[in-house]
Amino acid sequence: MSNSSFDTSKVASTNATAATAAKPTKAGVVANWADERLGLGTAMKKNLRKVFPDHWSFMLGEIALWSFVILLLTGGFLTLWYDPSMAEVTYEGAYDPMRGVHMSASYASTLHLSFDVRGGLLMRQIHHWAAMLFIAAMLVHMMRVAFTGAYRKPRELNWVIGCILLLLGTIEGFTGYSLPDDLLSGTGVRAADGFMKASPVIGSYMSFFIFGGEFPGEAVIPRFYVAHVLLIPGILLALIAAHMLLLVYHKHTQWPGPGRTNDNVVGYPMLPVYAAKAGGFFFIVFGVTAVMGALLTINPVWQYGPYDPTKVTAGSQPDWYMGWPDGALRIIPGWESEIFGYLISWNVMIPILILPPLMLMVLILLPFIESWVTGDKREHHLLQRPRDAPTRTAVMVALMTFYGVLWAAGGNDIIAIKLHLSINQITYAFRVLTFLGPIIAFIITKRWCISLQRHDREKVLHGYETGVIMRSPEGGYSERHLPISEEKAYSLTARERDEVWSPESETDANGIPAPGTRVNRLRARLSANMFGDNVQPPTREEIEAAHHHAEHEHQLQSALDGRSADGHQFDGHHSVEGETLSRDD
């Protein structure tokens, strides 16, 4: 074919001119501008594909997170109508029983929110239920972290942040509970004033600072309001952000299983899977909280009336998370002493000013004490089942029992009324249980965990019980066992063997006691008590020996069933290892 007859329409236009990029969109220009200055693209590309493991227990922390988001959303709505003022006004709103009553502007605005603002009562109740759920979810989440050993290195700092979040959440709940200025919340504020004044030397100064003078003053509600909507939420937001950043930096813990090690994470990426699941879970939490707010009445302040320092609410009790110090206050004896002319109210100081900070310090120090006792300085990214650490689990159950007994003691009067019992007898019973309950719970829990460890070991070595009873030629009976799955066996044997810590030498080359000998002896004794009774997972040699024994039993059983190991039928009798076994036997 000649050049003159060549079809130029079939020649690609790109051969003549260089390829040029399409003109970027406006959104692309903005994104490129931000990425060049902030480096967001590289960071987002890495973190949006970050893998998170999947397990239902990991959702407990998300309940706390989404409850806090609900608190922010509903709290923003409530601030539009709430008036944080203690100025005296006359109520002229829609709630007829209170019309014409003198009250503070804060209480009047709470009634206005409840009866005159469309959706106001629903928002108030959602806000209050979310606060209760927020603290409860944090507490349960921390229990999950402690029981599974997720607070071990490198997550000790995140555990400390979680403990501080629990404390701040409790204080935030108390300040919000006090804002309506009704008779019930005012009674709580009056109790808080008494607690502060029980502090030696500085108590009266603390009270004057908080209340702006003598109780109740006119400044406490505005000050609580600032702390409730600005100061404490700001700190909570900062700590939650730090908590989440450390979670991403350390990577999430995961349960042991095939393919899961300390050096990897098996799960789903942030986008699109985990983000979709977390977003859906937010709507579930919000929906449940909204249903609770719509159907379950909480804190009906219109029934209590405005706060009056000359009155007190009979049977008044705080929100549930303040119940355990209230219980300690109720059952402690009336211990008081006079030192240099000053009255020391131990019956107030111990349950309110000493016990809560002491419990908080015990929680904060748990991972550090465990690390010191065990001498374990390795990083841990695999979780432990509670039974795999009997002493740790028993300590946590003992703390829970101590907390539960004091929490129940906070309702000693209600228990006495409902069960028609003597309140004195109930108080004495709670005093005894406060000390004996944790000890009994510790002993029972530790022995229970060790028995479960022994059961797991037997299951790995000999399989699970089938319920099929076999009779031997000698007339003995035994139950047939079948081997567990490889995945289950891996999970049961993935935990590390416990090692009791012992000092290298208590004396140097010259026979002189080494420094810290007494401390090392204490540490060795604690380590022995912590691990001495634990049942260790079987070794590879023990598992192979058990499997060999199981194969031998299978051959014997095949003979009893009248079949060979390969499934062939025997005739009448068959000799196995010198024994004559009959099918009739």
Side-chain angles (χ1 to χ4, degrees):
M1 184 180 295
S2 64
N3 292 337
S4 59
S5 63
F6 188 80
D7 189 359
T8 57
S9 64
K10 298 183 180 296
V11 178
S13 59
T14 55
N15 290 340
T17 59
T20 57
K23 185 177 180 180
T25 62
K26 294 181 178 180
V29 171
V30 173
N32 184 64
W33 183 91
D35 183 44
E36 289 176 349
R37 288 157 179 80
L38 302 176
L40 297 177
T42 303
M44 295 293 287
K45 186 181 299 182
K46 177 183 178 181
N47 291 306
L48 290 180
R49 298 298 298 173
K50 190 173 184 64
V51 173
F52 288 88
D54 189 36
H55 193 268
W56 67 266
S57 62
F58 302 152
M59 308 298 281
L60 298 172
E62 288 196 35
I63 296 177
L65 176 63
W66 298 138
S67 299
F68 183 70
V69 173
I70 296 171
L71 285 170
L72 294 179
L73 295 175
T74 55
F77 177 90
L78 297 177
T79 55
L80 300 176
W81 284 275
Y82 177 73
D83 182 9
S85 172
M86 298 187 71
E88 186 173 336
V89 299
T90 301
Y91 180 71
E92 297 295 342
Y95 188 60
D96 187 67
M98 287 290 175
R99 194 170 297 157
V101 176
H102 296 282
M103 60 184 65
S104 66
S106 59
Y107 184 64
S109 65
T110 304
L111 293 179
H112 176 70
L113 258 168
S114 302
F115 297 105
D116 297 310
V117 176
R118 187 182 299 273
L121 180 58
L122 176 63
M123 286 295 179
R124 273 196 61 237
Q125 301 208 142
I126 292 177
H127 189 76
H128 204 133
W129 279 118
M132 308 280 259
L133 189 61
F134 175 55
I135 300 175
M138 281 197 295
L139 196 61
V140 176
H141 173 62
M142 291 183 65
M143 289 164 53
R144 195 278 302 175
V145 170
F147 277 123
T148 59
Y151 58 34
R152 294 174 296 172
K153 184 182 179 181
R155 297 174 180 83
E156 301 97 333
L157 182 58
N158 232 3
W159 171 260
V160 174
I161 292 176
C163 293
I164 297 174
L165 283 172
L166 182 62
L167 172 65
L168 289 177
T170 303
I171 299 174
E172 175 78 345
F174 172 74
T175 56
Y177 167 84
S178 305
L179 289 181
D181 199 30
D182 59 291
L183 185 57
L184 181 61
S185 65
T187 302
V189 176
R190 186 70 175 100
D193 175 61
F195 300 153
M196 285 184 283
K197 289 178 178 176
S199 303
V201 182
I202 63 173
S204 58
Y205 296 99
M206 291 172 59
S207 176
F208 267 63
F209 174 76
I210 296 294
F211 294 97
E214 286 288 348
F215 177 87
E218 297 183 354
V220 62
I221 294 298
R223 291 180 178 181
F224 276 12
Y225 179 75
V226 172
H228 184 73
V229 305
L230 183 62
L231 179 61
I232 301 178
I235 301 175
L236 284 172
L237 275 173
L239 289 177
I240 290 174
H243 193 74
M244 300 300 295
L245 287 174
L246 285 176
L247 171 67
V248 173
Y249 175 72
H250 292 144
K251 71 185 180 182
H252 205 292
T253 54
Q254 58 185 347
W255 290 98
R260 301 173 184 175
T261 68
N262 264 319
D263 302 320
N264 68 357
V265 178
V266 178
Y268 299 101
M270 170 73 79
L271 283 181
V273 179
Y274 193 78
K277 295 180 68 173
F281 195 59
F282 164 73
F283 288 107
I284 293 175
V285 174
F286 191 94
V288 171
T289 310
V291 170
M292 294 172 66
L295 302 180
L296 305 177
T297 300
I298 187 171
N299 198 25
V301 296
W302 54 89
Q303 295 184 0
Y304 308 139
Y307 178 63
D308 186 345
T310 64
K311 299 181 178 63
V312 77
T313 304
S316 61
Q317 291 177 315
D319 280 342
W320 73 267
Y321 47 85
M322 298 296 293
W324 72 278
D326 184 50
L329 183 67
R330 293 184 181 215
I331 65 175
I332 192 170
W335 293 336
E336 293 180 346
S337 59
E338 188 173 333
I339 302 178
F340 301 115
Y342 292 95
L343 181 65
I344 307 298
S345 301
W346 299 108
N347 55 340
V348 177
M349 288 184 58
I350 292 176
I352 302 299
L353 303 178
I354 297 177
L355 185 59
L358 180 62
M359 284 287 289
L360 180 65
M361 289 306 301
V362 169
L363 284 179
I364 289 175
L365 293 176
L366 281 178
F368 303 99
I369 295 175
E370 180 177 328
S371 175
W372 176 75
V373 172
T374 60
D376 188 1
K377 305 300 180 183
R378 299 166 298 174
E379 289 193 359
H380 295 276
H381 302 290
L382 290 178
L383 298 174
Q384 291 180 308
R385 294 181 304 164
R387 69 183 67 178
D388 294 338
T391 302
R392 180 204 300 145
T393 302
V395 168
M396 284 302 301
V397 172
L399 292 175
M400 291 168 55
T401 304
F402 180 76
Y403 177 95
V405 170
L406 293 182
W407 185 83
N412 60 349
D413 53 344
I414 305 299
I415 295 174
I417 293 172
K418 297 298 183 181
L419 299 182
H420 305 288
L421 299 174
S422 169
I423 191 171
N424 292 327
Q425 294 176 351
I426 292 175
T427 301
Y428 290 138
F430 277 125
R431 288 176 180 176
V432 174
L433 285 174
T434 300
F435 295 96
L436 290 185
I439 297 175
I440 296 173
F442 178 89
I443 296 173
I444 293 176
T445 302
K446 186 170 183 178
R447 301 312 307 175
W448 196 346
C449 289
I450 291 174
S451 67
L452 290 174
Q453 285 185 336
R454 188 176 296 111
H455 175 72
D456 287 346
R457 179 183 172 88
E458 292 298 318
K459 185 183 293 186
V460 172
L461 293 177
H462 306 297
Y464 66 92
E465 301 168 349
T466 62
V468 177
I469 305 301
M470 301 181 300
R471 182 185 177 189
S472 68
E474 294 80 12
Y477 291 91
S478 63
E479 186 174 8
R480 176 182 292 180
H481 288 69
L482 291 179
I484 60 177
S485 64
E486 292 185 1
E487 181 178 355
K488 182 68 173 178
Y490 183 92
S491 300
L492 294 179
T493 57
R495 69 183 182 96
E496 301 165 344
R497 299 179 67 86
D498 302 316
E499 297 182 4
V500 177
W501 183 88
S502 59
E504 296 180 358
S505 177
E506 296 186 356
T507 59
D508 58 16
N510 299 320
I512 300 176
T517 299
R518 292 183 178 179
V519 176
N520 287 336
R521 287 177 181 173
L522 173 63
R523 182 179 175 186
R525 190 177 299 113
L526 291 175
S527 180
N529 291 333
M530 187 171 187
F531 295 130
D533 297 330
N534 289 8
V535 178
Q536 304 304 325
T539 62
R540 181 182 297 274
E541 292 76 14
E542 291 173 329
I543 295 176
E544 291 177 353
H547 288 176
H548 177 73
H549 180 70
E551 292 175 359
H552 178 64
E553 286 189 344
H554 176 67
Q555 293 176 357
L556 293 177
Q557 181 60 33
S558 298
L560 289 173
D561 292 339
R563 294 181 179 275
S564 64
D566 57 1
H568 292 92
Q569 185 74 32
F570 288 126
D571 295 327
H573 302 279
H574 182 72
S575 176
V576 179
E577 294 189 357
E579 264 185 69
T580 301
L581 305 179
S582 172
R583 284 185 301 183
D584 297 334
D585 293 333

